[in-house]
Amino acid sequence: MKIIQNKIFIGIIFFLVINIFYIFSKGDTFLANSWDFYDSNVVWLKLMTKKKYLFANSETIIKEYMNIPRLSLGSELNVIVWLFILFEPFYALVLNQLLVQIISFLGIYLLSNRYIFKERGQWISFAIAFIFALLPFWQPGGIGAMGIPLLIYCFFEVLEYPKKYYLYLYLTLYPFYSNLFVFGIFSLFLLFSLLFLFRRKNYKRGLIILFFIGILYLVVEYRMFYFSFFNKNFVSHREEFFSQVGLRDAIKATINSFFVGQDHVPSLHQNIIIFSIIISLIMSLIKRDKYHLKILLFGLLLVAFIASFDGFYNQRNMSFFLSSISSIFTKFQTNRFYILYPTIWYTLFLFALRVIYSSLRKYKLQFITYILVVGQFFIVFKSNNIYKNLYDRYINTDQIYTFNEFYSEKAFKKISFCINRNEKVISLGIHPAVSAYNNLNTADGYSAIYPLSYKKKFRKIISKELDNNIENKDYFDNWGSRCYIFDDKLGTRFDITKYSSPEATINLELDVNALKSLSIGYIISTIPLQNKNRYNLVEKYSDNFRNYYLYKIIF
């Protein structure tokens, strides 16, 4: 027990040291993929923390961001929201990262020690838990995906030992630190399946716990629950989601989902983990080890099912079929069983390593296990922010954003002085989130849920540009969560920097009357515009990463 406590202590200290390094950097070295993070969630969280919006009615309009209703920002009961309330955005993100890393480390380590490496080879539990916690998880998801191993551990332990009351704390925390529609539904389904498969004798207690977690989720997500089932007045832009994916692309997406995974929950399993599982299957066959054969084959079949559902979910025939069954399939992505990928793949990896370790031990070839573990560590480490920080700073300084570089607060402080706050701005060649983060009144932006009526009004602005580019038209009309200004030449290159070989100039064709109807007075572009008769250049600004051209629209 003391050895376990020591290893847990070492792991926590390591992740604490990493994140203290980020804190002292003050945003200069905190890297992250801007996609579905800096370009959206950070701004939503910042907007939500304003006192007038935090507990506002769900129908309250957020005038400074796309005129979206308060509903679109999400629940104020989520832990990440309160981190943003208590700390500045950058420090809230660092603290969130630390908490998720510690929870993910504890989850795999405790689960493995309890059910996989009970005696010999417990160093493998520590190593894989350490690797798992270094995965480049999607920060806005909180512990939704990375906290599943600890959720399983606490669930199983409470079923066996109901008087371990401290475990109920985590079961209570999970709904407040994840999202019901992105993670919760699928996590609860997993727990229910595990209860049915492995803990039937405790099913009554298990169902009570699942019901308890479900009720907490409904409390946290009360806004979205009301919108989904009771509010008939609000029509979301998601009502017009339609997929054009063909059969061939669906098959490719299925294969990619199985072997590569999903961007929001990267498991980085495609090389060493899959190789280890194949080797362990062969060894289990030779040894006639039915126990491990069943576990490994069942896990692979489960992944194959999830990958197939994920790949074919957006196939046009499947999309039409699902939407004809219920509108719930257009309102929410029900293919998100892939959030279970990290937990499934690393559990299979642990079982595979157990087979390999035990098989090679008598031949004194355990070092092969070490090679597999170290190899996976380097694969994950290379994708982690620690490595990327060093790589970005000393080798590839033009490719990855730091927090400060993305939001460009110094440049936008100058830009804001030249803008009439009664008029809204739109952006070209830069995510609108940058303007919104810097407290400008933005008409464009990224929102997972916003009124369909606003999408149609905004479309009038960019109709000519969409007609000139079929891919842009499909992207906006059949999805449209990025309510952005499109240019036929730029396509979906939404962030143009000094290093990304931009077009020399852009002939931007926007509908002036539609701009006026939404009170849009300015364009912030990272590329010069040709239309001098429509857009008057007010000022040019620059920082280390981008050039900024502020234009006043001429009506």
Side-chain angles (χ1 to χ4, degrees):
M1 187 66 183
K2 191 173 180 180
I3 294 174
I4 293 174
Q5 290 174 345
N6 288 341
K7 288 181 179 178
I8 289 174
F9 178 74
I10 291 168
I12 291 173
I13 289 297
F14 175 81
F15 293 115
L16 188 62
V17 169
I18 290 174
N19 288 282
I20 287 173
F21 162 72
Y22 287 131
I23 288 171
F24 282 110
S25 74
K26 297 181 180 178
D28 288 325
T29 58
F30 191 83
L31 305 177
N33 190 338
S34 64
W35 207 258
D36 277 358
F37 184 23
Y38 287 167
D39 64 354
S40 49
N41 287 272
V42 171
V43 171
W44 303 343
L45 288 162
K46 190 181 179 191
L47 282 168
M48 205 188 311
T49 57
K50 293 184 177 181
K51 290 182 180 179
K52 61 179 178 179
Y53 295 137
L54 185 61
F55 298 110
N57 186 286
S58 293
E59 296 177 0
T60 300
I61 300 301
I62 313 294
K63 294 181 179 179
E64 56 263 55
Y65 191 73
M66 294 174 61
N67 286 346
I68 59 174
R70 169 63 184 81
L71 163 76
S72 303
L73 297 179
S75 174
E76 66 274 24
L77 301 179
N78 191 286
V79 170
I80 301 177
V81 174
W82 286 92
L83 291 178
F84 268 69
I85 291 171
L86 297 171
F87 305 96
E88 292 179 16
F90 166 70
Y91 296 107
L93 291 174
V94 174
L95 186 54
N96 178 56
Q97 177 171 274
L98 172 63
L99 292 172
V100 175
Q101 285 176 335
I102 290 173
I103 287 171
S104 56
F105 168 77
L106 288 173
I108 286 290
Y109 183 64
L110 294 173
L111 196 63
S112 178
N113 265 2
R114 181 74 171 84
Y115 298 103
I116 304 175
F117 287 97
K118 298 177 183 179
E119 297 175 2
R120 289 172 178 162
Q122 286 191 348
W123 66 269
I124 296 176
S125 298
F126 178 81
I128 300 306
F130 185 76
I131 293 168
F132 184 79
L134 287 175
L135 285 171
F137 60 90
W138 182 54
Q139 273 237 30
I143 60 175
M146 301 300 287
I148 291 175
L150 189 56
L151 184 68
I152 296 170
Y153 173 81
C154 291
F155 183 63
F156 276 6
E157 286 293 289
V158 166
L159 291 179
E160 292 291 328
Y161 310 103
K163 291 188 178 181
K164 286 187 174 182
Y165 298 115
Y166 61 92
L167 296 175
Y168 291 97
L169 292 173
Y170 184 75
L171 297 175
T172 302
L173 172 69
Y174 188 81
F176 288 90
Y177 205 175
S178 59
N179 181 286
L180 172 62
F181 301 100
V182 180
F183 303 101
I185 293 171
F186 312 101
S187 300
L188 289 173
F189 180 83
L190 175 65
L191 293 182
F192 177 79
S193 302
L194 293 173
L195 176 66
F196 179 77
L197 290 171
F198 303 110
R199 291 292 187 274
R200 289 191 193 181
K201 65 178 183 178
N202 304 119
Y203 80 94
K204 287 184 180 179
R205 189 181 303 142
L207 290 177
I208 291 171
I209 294 169
L210 293 179
F211 180 76
F212 169 71
I213 296 173
I215 291 297
L216 288 178
Y217 261 126
L218 293 182
V219 171
V220 174
E221 302 293 348
Y222 73 96
R223 294 179 187 272
M224 197 60 67
F225 183 73
Y226 175 76
F227 152 72
S228 304
F229 299 102
F230 300 106
N231 189 342
K232 304 299 180 183
N233 298 322
F234 179 77
V235 181
S236 168
H237 79 290
R238 301 178 79 92
E239 295 289 344
E240 291 193 350
F241 274 17
F242 183 72
S243 176
Q244 298 286 342
V245 174
L247 180 62
R248 183 177 295 179
D249 288 334
I251 293 171
K252 286 181 181 177
T254 299
I255 294 170
N256 185 74
S257 185
F258 185 93
F259 287 101
V260 180
Q262 214 277 344
D263 291 342
H264 287 89
V265 283
S267 46
L268 306 177
H269 61 271
Q270 58 265 45
N271 296 311
I272 286 177
I273 291 180
I274 288 181
F275 173 76
S276 301
I277 292 169
I278 292 170
I279 295 298
S280 63
L281 280 170
I282 294 170
M283 288 180 170
S284 297
L285 278 170
I286 293 170
K287 293 167 62 179
R288 297 183 180 179
D289 183 352
K290 292 182 180 180
Y291 174 75
H292 285 100
L293 267 177
K294 286 179 181 178
I295 290 174
L296 293 169
L297 289 174
F298 175 78
L300 290 175
L301 286 172
L302 180 60
V303 172
F305 173 78
I306 294 172
S308 299
F309 188 52
D310 181 32
F312 278 84
Y313 184 79
N314 290 316
Q315 199 271 334
R316 64 172 71 96
N317 295 327
M318 177 66 80
S319 180
F320 179 77
F321 171 71
L322 291 173
S323 61
S324 67
I325 296 173
S326 172
S327 62
I328 201 76
F329 290 104
T330 56
K331 289 180 179 177
F332 306 107
Q333 278 186 253
T334 50
N335 64 327
R336 285 184 169 133
F337 285 98
Y338 55 67
I339 66 111
L340 305 176
Y341 277 164
T343 299
I344 295 172
W345 280 115
Y346 280 80
T347 301
L348 290 176
F349 190 31
L350 283 163
F351 276 110
L353 290 173
R354 185 166 82 169
V355 172
I356 296 168
Y357 184 79
S358 61
S359 299
L360 297 179
R361 191 166 165 272
K362 59 184 177 182
Y363 301 109
K364 296 184 178 180
L365 296 173
Q366 304 99 305
F367 69 90
I368 293 176
T369 313
Y370 306 154
I371 292 171
L372 293 172
V373 171
V374 171
Q376 184 62 21
F377 167 77
F378 279 112
I379 288 172
V380 172
F381 182 73
K382 194 175 179 181
S383 70
N384 187 270
N385 282 344
I386 306 167
Y387 172 83
K388 286 182 177 179
N389 279 321
L390 298 172
Y391 189 76
D392 176 66
R393 174 161 290 201
Y394 299 110
I395 301 174
N396 196 29
T397 58
D398 61 341
Q399 293 298 311
I400 306 173
Y401 287 114
T402 64
F403 184 90
N404 289 344
E405 286 169 339
F406 184 84
Y407 289 116
S408 307
E409 290 183 75
K410 291 181 181 178
F412 271 78
K413 198 172 279 186
K414 297 175 183 177
I415 292 172
S416 65
F417 286 127
C418 299
I419 289 178
N420 179 352
R421 291 307 181 101
N422 294 321
E423 295 183 283
K424 296 183 179 182
V425 302
I426 52 177
S427 303
L428 180 69
I430 181 172
H431 288 288
V434 180
S435 295
Y437 184 89
N438 287 287
N439 301 312
L440 297 181
N441 195 345
T442 60
D444 50 352
Y446 184 174
S447 178
I449 299 174
Y450 69 97
L452 179 60
S453 58
Y454 189 85
K455 178 184 176 183
K456 291 183 175 180
K457 288 178 184 178
F458 195 88
R459 194 194 187 285
K460 292 178 182 178
I461 297 173
I462 55 175
S463 58
K464 289 183 181 179
E465 292 290 349
L466 293 182
D467 289 339
N468 293 331
N469 188 310
I470 296 173
E471 290 182 1
N472 285 353
K473 188 174 183 179
D474 174 59
Y475 187 83
F476 185 83
D477 287 347
N478 294 321
W479 186 59
S481 289
R482 291 186 189 276
C483 193
Y484 282 20
I485 295 298
F486 286 85
D487 173 77
D488 65 308
K489 290 182 180 179
L490 291 181
T492 54
R493 289 185 292 161
F494 299 127
D495 214 342
I496 304 299
T497 70
K498 292 179 178 180
Y499 309 99
S500 54
S501 302
E503 303 289 335
T505 57
I506 290 293
N507 181 33
L508 187 63
E509 295 290 334
L510 302 180
D511 187 301
V512 175
N513 292 327
L515 287 167
K516 193 173 184 179
S517 69
L518 290 179
S519 303
I520 299 169
Y522 297 91
I523 299 174
I524 298 174
S525 177
T526 54
I527 308 160
L529 302 180
Q530 296 175 4
N531 323 50
K532 293 182 180 180
N533 60 324
R534 291 189 180 181
Y535 316 116
N536 177 45
L537 180 63
V538 177
E539 194 62 75
K540 177 185 176 182
Y541 306 90
S542 184
D543 59 22
N544 293 335
F545 230 69
R546 306 184 189 98
N547 292 314
Y548 308 92
Y549 302 87
L550 176 63
Y551 291 94
K552 181 73 176 74
I553 299 169
I554 301 171
F555 295 109

